């Protein structure tokens, strides 16, 4: 069929035969619309977020954020955008940070990720000079025992890598404080440390070195070497240094800026009388005791704070004393201490330890038991004893001793530091748990704990022991041995009463008739057995009459004093149970 022609003679074009490029005029806008919709749909599927420092909260740039099918890097603001329609987890990592993973939820619009830094750095300087310190050990210790160390460089700087969460960073250097900080706020940790070692030398006034003197400041304490030198670490930034040694006066001084402290100690020999609490509680009797000191050579008082019944004679803060009904506060202890201190009297607190019937009766679980009766074991005098193996007994007496030292006593003197010596000893039951423990172990173990507890107080520690220990090298079956006890105490006080030696003992027919010889030869014997403890000896002397032999008066007391002086003891103490002292028994003041 021939197409119909137009008026102008041409064939008319049909619409389905329009040129292809005319079709594009319609297709291009449609394609653009489709692309726009696709892009929009893609934007909806993008994951965006920010990565922050877990400690500082600041943005972390350069962190790698990845899924199973895509990866992105955070910009300078810590931001990222990643497209992955299937993503359920984001893995985030960066050098010097601990990698982490974050779950992707369907409703997540923007994700905030915290990265924990694992590199710690800083500078260590001298607190006083502010100069950087090189060669300082910096240590990181993790919560599971991990340990990392490094040293500061010439500029005092350090860097520690791969540090676990919860680690503690500490700085260690001989002669300086140990400083530490817990990671958790910042990884830029600077330290200022200060020198904390006090050194010096202690001598007598003639310049002779003094070994074994205690040097203390705050909780830090040390004893001098044979050449008198000492080196005391971990001293506080300020405080008072106290130097003590038996046989010498205490010396104190402020901690110097130089951390060098030399001391010359003045010789001081304790010359004491014993005063019971009952005597001290009566004003007129107390004045009599003070008068003895002020008018003779006596310069010290041994005052009962706890006696052999177990009574505590002042209003103690030790709870157990109240619980067992032991407190009998007849002494105004602060007033009596003040009376002595005003007069320059050396103060000694006497505490009876293991003969304690009150504690034994109130706490049978802490007492010695009788295998025959099952009840409390008792001496011939009917007195119950506590079990010297029991730690709770130790701690009770240690608490009383520390309290007395903190009240201001110069010295704590422990009596009845032993096991019983009379009674049916074969019936004494200490419990199966102590079957393998020796009596000497119990006594020295207690003294070791007492020594450690008293050390920060500055008070000296003394013990009373039987006079026979100056002659015997075993423990006498009561746990007392001079050589074993001496290392734990400052003063050893043998009770060398001539009346307590049997006839024929130590080569004397009736020892009680030879007061000088008994004291002098006993001290010499003890010093020969334990020469390193010679200077710790301060004997108890007898001012009473007892047993076979002569009556004791001024001449006999003075003979004993002369023997102690001739031996070179660091002093002496006079025992009179009734506190009836005659001025003629002493040399003038």
């Amino acid at each position: 069929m021939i197409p119909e022609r137009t008026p102008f003679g041409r064939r008319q074009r049909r619409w389905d035969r329009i040129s292809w490029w005319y079709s594009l005029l319609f297709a291009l806008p449609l394609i653009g619309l489709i692309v726009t919709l696709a892009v929009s749909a893609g934007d909806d599927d993008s994951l965006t977020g920010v990565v922050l420092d877990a400690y500082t909260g600041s943005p972390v740039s350069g962190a790698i954020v990845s899924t199973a099918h895509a990866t992105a890097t955070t910009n300078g603001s810590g931001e990222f955008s990643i497209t992955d329609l299937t993503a359920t987890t984001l893995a985030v990592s960066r050098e010097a940070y601990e990698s982490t993973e974050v779950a992707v939820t369907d409703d997540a619009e923007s994700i905030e990720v915290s990265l924990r830094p694992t590199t710690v750095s800083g500078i260590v300087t001298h607190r006083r000079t502010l100069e950087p310190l090189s060669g300082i050990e910096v240590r990181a210790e993790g919560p599971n025992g991990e340990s990392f160390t490094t040293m500061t460089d010439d500029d005092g700087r350090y860097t520690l890598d791969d540090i676990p969460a919860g680690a503690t960073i500490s700085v260690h250097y001989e002669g300086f404080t140990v400083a530490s900080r817990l990671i958790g706020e910042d990884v830029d940790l600077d330290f200022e440390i200060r020198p904390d070692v006090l050194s010096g030398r202690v001598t007598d006034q003639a310049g002779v070195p003094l070994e074994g003197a205690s040097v203390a400041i705050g909780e830090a304490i040390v004893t001098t070497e044979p050449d008198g030198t000492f080196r005391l670490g971990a001293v506080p930034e300020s405080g008072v240094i106290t130097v003590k040694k038996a046989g010498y006066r205490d010396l104190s001084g402020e901690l110097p800026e130089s951390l060098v402290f030399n001391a010359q100690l003045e010789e001081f020999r304790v010359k004491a009388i014993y005063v019971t609490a009952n005597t001290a509680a009566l004003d007129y009797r107390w004045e009599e005791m003070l008068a003895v000191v002020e008018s003779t050579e006596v310069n010290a008082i041994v005052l009962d704070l706890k006696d052999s019944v177990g009574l505590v004679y002042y209003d103690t803060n030790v709870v157990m004393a109240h619980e067992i009904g032991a407190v009998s506060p007849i002494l105004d202890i602060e007033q009596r201490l003040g009376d002595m201190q005003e007069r320059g009297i050396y103060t000694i607190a006497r505490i009876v330890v293991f003969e304690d019937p009150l504690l034994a009766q109130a706490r049978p679980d802490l007492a010695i038991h009788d295998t025959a009766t099952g009840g409390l074991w008792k001496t011939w005098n009917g007195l119950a004893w506590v079990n010297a193996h029991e730690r709770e007994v130790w701690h009770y007496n240690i608490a009383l001793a520390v309290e007395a030292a903190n009240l201001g006593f110069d010295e704590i003197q422990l009596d009845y530091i032993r096991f019983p010596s009379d009674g049916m000893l074969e019936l004494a039951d200490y419990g199966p748990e102590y079957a393998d423990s020796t009596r000497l172990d119990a006594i020295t173990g207690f003294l070791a704990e007492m020594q450690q507890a008293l050390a920060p107080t500055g008070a000296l520690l003394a013990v009373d022991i039987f006079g026979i220990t100056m002659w015997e090298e075993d423990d006498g079956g009561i746990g007392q041995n001079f050589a074993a006890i001496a290392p734990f105490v400052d003063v050893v006080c043998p009770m060398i009463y001539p009346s307590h030696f049997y006839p024929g003992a130590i080569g004397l027919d009736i020892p009680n008739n030879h007061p000088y010889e008994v004291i002098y030869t006993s001290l010499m014997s003890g010093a020969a057995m334990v020469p390193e403890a010679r200077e710790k000896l301060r004997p108890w002397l007898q001012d009473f009459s007892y047993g076979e032999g002569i009556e004791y008066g001024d001449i006999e007391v003075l003979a004993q004093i002369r023997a102690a002086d001739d031996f070179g003891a660091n002093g002496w103490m006079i025992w009179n149970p009734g506190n009836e002292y005659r001025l003629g028994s002493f040399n003038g003041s």
Side-chain angles (χ1 to χ4, degrees), residues 21-309:
W21 57 270
Y22 275 108
S23 300
L24 289 179
L25 295 176
F26 297 97
L28 287 176
L30 180 60
I31 293 172
L33 177 61
I34 293 172
V35 171
T36 300
L37 292 174
V39 170
S40 298
D43 287 343
D44 290 342
D45 291 335
S46 293
L47 295 174
T48 62
V50 63
V51 178
L52 303 175
D53 187 294
Y55 293 160
T56 65
S58 58
V60 177
S61 63
I64 306 301
V65 183
S66 59
T67 67
H69 305 292
T71 300
T73 303
T74 58
N75 60 21
S77 299
E79 299 170 339
F80 66 89
S81 177
I82 191 169
T83 301
D84 185 349
L85 295 174
T86 62
T88 59
T89 303
L90 290 182
V92 186
S93 63
R94 192 189 189 286
E95 184 180 0
Y97 285 85
E98 184 177 58
S99 299
T100 188
E101 290 188 350
V102 180
V104 178
T105 60
D106 292 338
D107 58 351
E109 295 181 0
S110 180
I111 300 174
E112 183 177 294
V113 181
S114 291
L115 283 186
R116 186 186 67 81
T118 58
T119 296
V120 181
S121 61
I123 184 170
V124 180
T125 56
H126 191 296
R127 180 177 297 181
R128 291 178 178 171
T129 67
L130 301 181
E131 293 292 323
L133 296 171
S134 63
I136 304 290
E137 180 185 275
V138 183
R139 182 185 307 163
E141 295 182 353
N144 298 317
E146 312 95 320
S147 183
F148 309 83
T149 60
T150 189
M151 307 294 286
T152 58
D153 60 19
D154 292 341
D155 296 322
R157 298 188 176 279
Y158 74 92
T159 299
L160 286 165
D161 297 317
D162 301 322
I163 305 305
T168 297
I169 308 298
S170 55
V171 177
H172 303 261
Y173 192 65
E174 175 67 22
F176 284 77
T177 53
V178 175
S180 64
R181 293 168 66 181
L182 181 67
I183 294 179
E185 296 179 356
D186 201 348
V187 289
D188 294 322
L189 299 182
D190 294 338
F191 292 89
E192 289 182 355
I193 59 176
R194 63 177 179 84
D196 68 353
V197 174
L198 177 70
S199 61
R201 191 165 182 258
V202 179
T203 67
D204 65 13
Q205 291 189 309
V208 176
L210 294 178
E211 179 183 4
S214 68
V215 183
I217 178 170
E219 297 293 319
I221 187 168
V222 73
T223 56
T224 54
E225 299 293 333
D227 61 355
T229 60
F230 68 89
R231 183 177 173 83
L232 178 59
V235 300
E237 294 193 60
S238 62
V240 176
I241 304 166
T242 301
V243 184
K244 289 178 175 283
K245 182 173 173 60
Y248 296 85
R249 290 191 184 277
D250 297 349
L251 186 145
S252 299
E254 291 290 333
L255 179 68
E257 182 78 14
S258 65
L259 293 181
V260 175
F261 188 82
N262 296 313
Q264 283 193 326
L265 301 186
E266 177 185 357
E267 185 175 342
F268 175 73
R269 299 176 63 248
V270 169
K271 304 172 183 180
I273 55 173
Y274 164 63
V275 178
T276 67
N278 288 325
T279 293
L282 299 172
D283 289 341
Y284 81 95
R285 288 287 281 141
W286 179 244
E287 290 300 326
E288 290 176 0
M289 299 299 100
L290 295 178
V292 172
V293 177
E294 292 179 322
S295 59
T296 71
E297 63 182 320
V298 173
N299 58 23
I301 287 178
V302 180
L303 180 61
D304 267 345
L305 293 193
K306 175 175 179 262
D307 69 2
S308 56
V309 176

Side-chain angles (χ1 to χ4, degrees), residues 465-472 482 494 496 522-523 525-526 529 537:
I465 59 176
F466 280 170
I468 198 65
T469 58
M470 297 292 96
W471 296 92
E472 295 183 352
F482 177 31
I496 314 176
S522 294
L523 290 172
S525 175
M529 286 194 301
L537 288 170

Side-chain angles (χ1 to χ4, degrees), residues 226-396:
D227 61 355
T229 60
F230 68 89
R231 183 177 173 83
L232 178 59
V235 300
E237 294 193 60
S238 62
V240 176
I241 304 166
T242 301
V243 184
K244 289 178 175 283
K245 182 173 173 60
Y248 296 85
R249 290 191 184 277
D250 297 349
L251 186 145
S252 299
E254 291 290 333
L255 179 68
E257 182 78 14
S258 65
L259 293 181
V260 175
F261 188 82
N262 296 313
Q264 283 193 326
L265 301 186
E266 177 185 357
E267 185 175 342
F268 175 73
R269 299 176 63 248
V270 169
K271 304 172 183 180
I273 55 173
Y274 164 63
V275 178
T276 67
N278 288 325
T279 293
L282 299 172
D283 289 341
Y284 81 95
R285 288 287 281 141
W286 179 244
E287 290 300 326
E288 290 176 0
M289 299 299 100
L290 295 178
V292 172
V293 177
E294 292 179 322
S295 59
T296 71
E297 63 182 320
V298 173
N299 58 23
I301 287 178
V302 180
L303 180 61
D304 267 345
L305 293 193
K306 175 175 179 262
D307 69 2
S308 56
V309 176
L311 288 172
V312 177
Y313 288 112
Y314 66 98
D315 190 14
T316 176
N317 289 319
V318 177
V319 174
M320 179 178 277
H322 292 276
E323 291 176 342
I324 66 175
V327 181
S328 176
I330 63 175
L331 291 179
D332 184 336
I333 197 65
E334 288 84 1
Q335 183 182 67
R336 291 312 189 225
L337 263 173
D339 291 341
M340 292 186 282
Q341 291 167 347
E342 287 173 8
R343 294 165 173 80
I345 298 173
Y346 186 82
T347 57
I348 304 174
R350 178 175 177 263
I351 296 175
V352 174
V353 181
F354 296 122
E355 185 177 78
D356 193 334
L358 274 173
L359 178 57
Q361 290 160 8
R363 290 287 305 276
D365 57 311
L366 302 179
I368 304 172
H369 289 264
D370 192 309
T371 56
T373 67
L376 296 180
W377 180 92
K378 296 180 181 180
T379 65
W380 294 128
N381 293 327
L383 297 177
W385 278 55
V386 292
N387 187 345
H389 292 291
E390 290 286 350
R391 269 39 175 194
E392 195 170 351
V393 175
W394 296 8
H395 298 155
Y396 171 48

Side-chain angles (χ1 to χ4, degrees), residues 245-248 267-271 299 346 411 460 490-493 523 533-539 564-565 567-573:
K245 182 173 173 60
Y248 296 85
E267 185 175 342
F268 175 73
R269 299 176 63 248
V270 169
K271 304 172 183 180
N299 58 23
Y346 186 82
E411 180 177 310
L460 295 184
D490 301 293
V491 185
V492 178
C493 310
L523 290 172
R534 177 189 179 108
E535 62 180 10
K536 295 186 177 185
L537 288 170
R538 184 204 300 155
D565 290 345
F567 167 76
N570 69 45
W572 42 261
M573 297 169 295

